[in-house]
Amino acid sequence: MRITTKGTKSMLLYGTLLLLLMQIPLFVLFDKGREGQILYLFLVVLVILTIWKGAITGLISSLILIFVSGSILLYMSIAGTISTINDAFSIQLFLVYGVLLLVLILCAGKVNELLLLQEQRISHLQQSVNRFVAIDVETGFDNETRMYLTVNEEMRRANRYKHQFIFILLRLENYKQFEQLYGVNEVQHLWKQLAEKVQQTVRQTDKKFRFGDNQIALLLTDTSDEFIDVVYEKLDYVLKNHQLLNGRWVTLSYKTSYFLYTSQVERSFEELLTDLEREMRTNEL
């Protein structure tokens, strides 16, 4: 938080300085007729472009503007037609305009740099939160980020010690309809009840995860697939019926799939998870 606050203060400082500096060409050019107003408009556009795209783009665009405008002004001055532009507008004034433009572009470039740096800092903080705050609020299970870390770690352990484990994915069907029909309070109550039932059904050493909006994942350590039917029977018994806050009972339906991981499996967790989500279209609990 201290880092982002410091960055915000720097942006406010340079932003304020930029606004103050822009008053100087406004004062110098705005009473120089239409030509001065057009040049000031170009200056504003270039400052905005620099804040958006960076100092290099702003400097290149500014040098092009100065070269083209200066060449036109010099030609008309040599040709003796400077009066057709504005008697009050001179090459000396244009040089002052060029210097002010470059100073403003450099200042706007600094603002762009601070904005990008602040965006990187915020992204870093968000990644840190995702990495360390690993608990889903509604269920108390580990969240999706922790799931990937834990399962990959368990896969390495299984490869090293020739262990095996089962990974089960459960998807609550018609979740959006349930949410629309019963509201937020019932949804929170639903996940609280599901979490308690799952905790009572599986072992304390097994890992439980909240995956996405409507999915629960279970990592059953040191378990072979000969026990999968028993596990499914227990889950079916405790999860199918749910009591609402008003006392009424509703029947829930689930899609499910699982994989058995052994040291012989030569696939990544992401690949295995993709297969599970594909199989869940037809497999009901």
Side-chain angles (χ1 to χ4, degrees):
M1 183 62 69
R2 186 183 306 165
I3 295 176
T4 55
T5 302
K6 181 180 178 181
T8 302
K9 289 180 179 179
S10 298
M11 281 193 298
L12 289 175
L13 176 62
Y14 278 95
T16 303
L17 178 62
L18 180 62
L19 290 175
L20 292 175
L21 289 175
M22 288 187 68
Q23 307 309 308
I24 299 175
L26 177 64
F27 176 77
V28 172
L29 295 174
F30 223 69
D31 60 345
K32 302 303 180 183
R34 184 179 60 185
E35 293 78 17
Q37 295 173 6
I38 292 174
L39 285 176
Y40 186 77
L41 179 61
F42 281 145
L43 183 147
V44 173
V45 171
L46 288 173
V47 167
I48 295 175
L49 178 65
T50 303
I51 294 175
W52 180 31
K53 291 292 187 179
I56 295 179
T57 301
L59 285 172
I60 293 174
S61 302
S62 301
L63 292 175
I64 293 174
L65 173 65
I66 292 173
F67 176 77
V68 173
S69 303
S71 298
I72 294 174
L73 183 63
L74 182 62
Y75 170 78
M76 300 186 75
S77 177
I78 294 174
T81 57
I82 190 67
S83 59
T84 60
I85 301 177
N86 194 305
D87 293 336
F89 202 87
S90 64
I91 295 179
Q92 291 78 9
L93 182 60
F94 183 77
L95 291 175
V96 173
Y97 169 82
V99 173
L100 289 173
L101 176 60
L102 293 176
V103 171
L104 286 168
I105 292 302
L106 291 174
C107 187
K110 184 63 177 180
V111 173
N112 170 267
E113 179 184 333
L114 290 170
L115 285 171
L116 292 177
L117 184 60
Q118 188 75 342
E119 183 179 350
Q120 293 174 358
R121 288 167 174 167
I122 293 175
S123 177
H124 177 72
L125 288 174
Q126 289 175 339
Q127 292 175 5
S128 298
V129 169
N130 291 334
R131 186 164 57 250
F132 294 111
V133 181
I135 302 300
D136 175 68
V137 177
E138 291 182 316
T139 61
F141 294 167
D142 289 344
N143 63 14
E144 184 174 342
T145 301
R146 180 61 65 181
M147 180 185 76
Y148 280 92
L149 295 173
T150 303
V151 175
N152 280 292
E153 181 180 348
E154 189 66 23
M155 290 171 69
R156 289 191 293 270
R157 191 177 78 91
N159 293 336
R160 188 163 54 247
Y161 299 109
K162 308 304 179 183
H163 290 176
Q164 58 187 3
F165 66 86
I166 289 178
F167 183 86
I168 298 175
L169 201 57
L170 291 167
R171 176 183 296 161
L172 178 61
E173 293 292 280
N174 303 316
Y175 177 69
K176 292 298 182 182
Q177 291 84 341
F178 183 94
E179 187 177 29
Q180 294 173 358
L181 182 61
Y182 295 109
V184 176
N185 290 336
E186 281 290 0
V187 169
Q188 293 175 347
H189 174 66
L190 169 66
W191 285 112
K192 181 180 178 181
Q193 293 299 307
L194 291 180
E196 291 178 357
K197 292 175 181 178
V198 170
Q199 291 280 20
Q200 295 168 4
T201 303
V202 299
R203 299 167 301 182
Q204 291 295 323
T205 55
D206 295 328
K207 309 295 183 182
K208 285 77 67 176
F209 309 98
R210 172 80 179 273
F211 179 40
D213 289 335
N214 62 331
Q215 297 183 112
I216 292 175
L218 303 174
L219 192 162
L220 310 182
T221 57
D222 299 316
T223 305
S224 64
D225 56 352
E226 63 180 298
F227 299 105
I228 190 64
D229 290 336
V230 176
V231 174
Y232 272 141
E233 287 179 6
K234 291 181 178 180
L235 291 172
D236 179 70
Y237 178 76
V238 299
L239 297 182
K240 274 295 182 71
N241 298 313
H242 169 68
Q243 188 174 24
L244 302 174
L245 290 171
N246 60 13
R248 292 175 51 198
W249 288 85
V250 294
T251 301
L252 304 176
S253 60
Y254 300 84
K255 295 289 186 181
T256 184
S257 57
Y258 78 95
F259 68 77
L260 172 68
Y261 186 85
T262 66
S263 57
Q264 286 76 35
V265 176
E266 297 181 352
R267 304 184 67 191
S268 68
F269 175 57
E270 288 75 11
E271 292 172 335
L272 294 169
L273 189 59
T274 300
D275 289 343
L276 288 189
E277 292 179 326
R278 190 183 301 116
E279 293 172 7
M280 286 175 64
R281 298 173 184 173
T282 57
N283 296 337
E284 293 187 3
L285 179 63

